[in-house]
Amino acid sequence: ARNIVRTGIRLHIAILDSSGKIIAANAAWRKLAKAKRWSRPEAGVGRSYLRICRDAFGTDSDDNTKLSEGVQAVLLGKRDAFESEFAAWTLADPRWFSVAASRFQDRDTHLVAIQHDDVTARKQLEQQFQHSQKMEAVGQLAGGVAHDFNNLLTVITGYAVLLRNDLPDSDPRRADLDEIVLAVDTGAALT
């Protein structure tokens, strides 16, 4: 028994009554409530879940509206469940949360279980992946442009060399054509 590691549940879970007030919360929710300083009353119990989210997480208006409408639909029995993700600012850090609301019946009362999960690490990986895909696309575009530009420079060099070879050695225009070939070679190296 000494080797058992106690991890607990990392999901923030709260139970709402039919009016949307929190009637119970797990330890992870209570820890978040303490960090956010909305633990009075205890972990927000007795307060409106939607008001706490609006005040505590600083979600933007679109996320707030989507969350509010989804949870209200579950509270009113229009939907059995709702899931979404939203950006939030907990403490000083921007974070991402997934939220799921599920309607269930306990005796003669309809209740809603809310669970939040901090998905910031996954979102950051997704953003890094999207950024790397954009950079890869930019690299492919730049490579294509460089290839096409070098093809144009090759044509210019070819015609300049042909013209130079058609001129006698004493013609002063040969020096101009040598400068064109030098400039093209510099452009090719830059590309």
Side-chain angles (χ1 to χ4, degrees), residues 66-136:
K66 184 178 178 181
L67 178 66
S68 181
E69 289 174 355
V71 171
Q72 284 291 350
V74 175
L75 285 168
L76 296 172
K78 294 178 181 177
R79 296 175 69 168
D80 289 331
F82 167 76
E83 291 183 36
S84 184
E85 289 184 350
F86 61 92
W89 290 263
T90 61
L91 303 172
D93 300 327
R95 310 293 292 173
W96 277 91
F97 288 91
S98 69
V99 62
S102 302
R103 185 175 167 88
F104 68 98
Q105 188 165 341
D106 182 38
R107 298 180 198 97
D108 294 330
T109 307
H110 287 285
L111 302 173
V112 173
I114 297 283
Q115 73 178 31
H116 291 186
D117 189 13
D118 188 334
V119 294
T120 304
R122 179 179 54 85
K123 280 292 193 181
Q124 289 170 340
L125 285 174
E126 286 174 3
Q127 289 171 344
Q128 289 172 358
F129 179 68
Q130 289 171 352
H131 179 72
S132 69
Q133 284 183 319
K134 287 178 188 175
M135 294 307 294
E136 181 181 349

Side-chain angles (χ1 to χ4, degrees), residues 6-172:
R6 294 185 182 191
T7 58
I9 297 174
R10 72 177 190 157
L11 298 176
H12 311 126
I13 300 173
I15 305 299
L16 312 182
D17 67 12
S18 60
S19 72
K21 289 185 180 167
I22 300 170
I23 60 172
N26 73 344
W29 179 275
R30 291 173 188 279
K31 183 177 178 183
L32 178 66
K34 185 176 180 182
K36 292 299 293 174
R37 295 187 178 100
W38 35 266
S39 56
R40 290 196 180 104
E42 182 64 28
V45 173
R47 292 183 57 203
S48 164
Y49 164 77
L50 292 173
R51 181 163 301 189
I52 286 175
C53 283
R54 188 174 44 250
D55 295 344
F57 291 113
T59 57
D60 70 28
S61 59
D62 289 342
D63 284 341
N64 223 343
T65 300
K66 184 178 178 181
L67 178 66
S68 181
E69 289 174 355
V71 171
Q72 284 291 350
V74 175
L75 285 168
L76 296 172
K78 294 178 181 177
R79 296 175 69 168
D80 289 331
F82 167 76
E83 291 183 36
S84 184
E85 289 184 350
F86 61 92
W89 290 263
T90 61
L91 303 172
D93 300 327
R95 310 293 292 173
W96 277 91
F97 288 91
S98 69
V99 62
S102 302
R103 185 175 167 88
F104 68 98
Q105 188 165 341
D106 182 38
R107 298 180 198 97
D108 294 330
T109 307
H110 287 285
L111 302 173
V112 173
I114 297 283
Q115 73 178 31
H116 291 186
D117 189 13
D118 188 334
V119 294
T120 304
R122 179 179 54 85
K123 280 292 193 181
Q124 289 170 340
L125 285 174
E126 286 174 3
Q127 289 171 344
Q128 289 172 358
F129 179 68
Q130 289 171 352
H131 179 72
S132 69
Q133 284 183 319
K134 287 178 188 175
M135 294 307 294
E136 181 181 349
V138 168
Q140 288 177 349
L141 176 64
V145 169
H147 178 75
D148 290 346
F149 189 68
N150 274 333
N151 287 344
L152 293 172
L153 294 177
T154 300
V155 171
I156 293 168
T157 300
Y159 280 109
V161 168
L162 288 173
L163 281 172
R164 185 182 63 194
N165 291 342
D166 285 346
L167 296 175
D169 290 343
S170 61
D171 193 320

